Amino acid sequence: MFNPTQADVRRFFCAAHAKQQAGGPMEAIETLAGLWIAEHPEYHADLADADAAVARNYDETPTRTNPFLHLSMHLSISEQCSIDQPRGIRQAVELLSRRLGSLHDAHHAAMECLGQMLSDAQRAGRSPDGQAYIACVQRRATRD
């Protein structure tokens, strides 16, 4: 089981960004990360220095989005959709993407649902509820 540390995750995204900038060969997961990194040029400065990224504490500036958490959520949702796990997430995100006219915007809406599910589970001391997550994304996809 792969269980990366916060530093591992940050170094991964910084390395993927560096490889992308240099036009170097990339692993499949780095290529996927690179696609999401390209969608977020506002994070490029954070990704340019791996040592500074590892040392930075984003909790100290709550008004600033943690780029590594944000990009990790994009990767998570991409992986969930690729294997349709939890079952139904692929269709829900596809519907949401069509409704919003953008996969990127659909991911951002799904992130809110994912974050809520994880927060609820942590607060209640229970496992995450995948069905509640999918229901949240589906609700967003079918709103008028």
Side-chain angles (χ1 to χ4, degrees):
M1 183 103 175
F2 184 61
N3 189 18
T5 65
Q6 181 183 76
D8 293 336
V9 170
R10 291 179 180 196
R11 288 190 187 286
F12 164 78
F13 281 110
C14 291
H17 178 63
K19 287 180 181 181
Q20 184 178 43
Q21 294 298 106
M26 299 170 73
E27 300 291 327
I29 192 71
E30 292 171 325
T31 300
L32 182 57
L35 294 172
W36 290 116
I37 290 167
E39 291 285 327
H40 290 284
E42 69 274 20
Y43 297 156
H44 291 184
D46 290 286
L47 298 167
D49 183 345
D51 291 332
V54 169
R56 192 168 291 122
N57 182 351
Y58 289 93
D59 292 337
E60 292 176 352
T61 53
T63 58
R64 186 166 179 222
T65 300
N66 179 333
F68 302 99
L69 175 59
H70 188 85
L71 292 168
S72 292
M73 290 181 85
H74 272 301
L75 273 186
S76 294
I77 293 166
S78 293
E79 288 296 304
Q80 290 168 359
C81 290
S82 76
I83 62 170
D84 197 29
Q85 190 58 254
R87 189 161 160 62
I89 193 62
R90 179 186 302 135
Q91 180 185 35
V93 171
E94 286 172 357
L95 288 170
L96 185 56
S97 180
R98 280 195 297 275
R99 179 181 167 269
L100 298 177
S102 162
L103 178 62
H104 191 208
D105 291 343
H107 267 232
H108 283 191
M111 279 180 200
E112 292 177 23
C113 296
L114 179 58
Q116 185 64 51
M117 175 197 63
L118 294 171
S119 177
D120 290 348
Q122 186 175 37
R123 209 174 18 260
R126 58 175 161 70
S127 296
D129 183 348
Q131 291 309 307
Y133 167 46
I134 293 168
C136 177
V137 176
Q138 287 172 332
R139 277 192 304 277
R140 289 170 182 257
T142 58
R143 280 188 194 160
D144 292 331

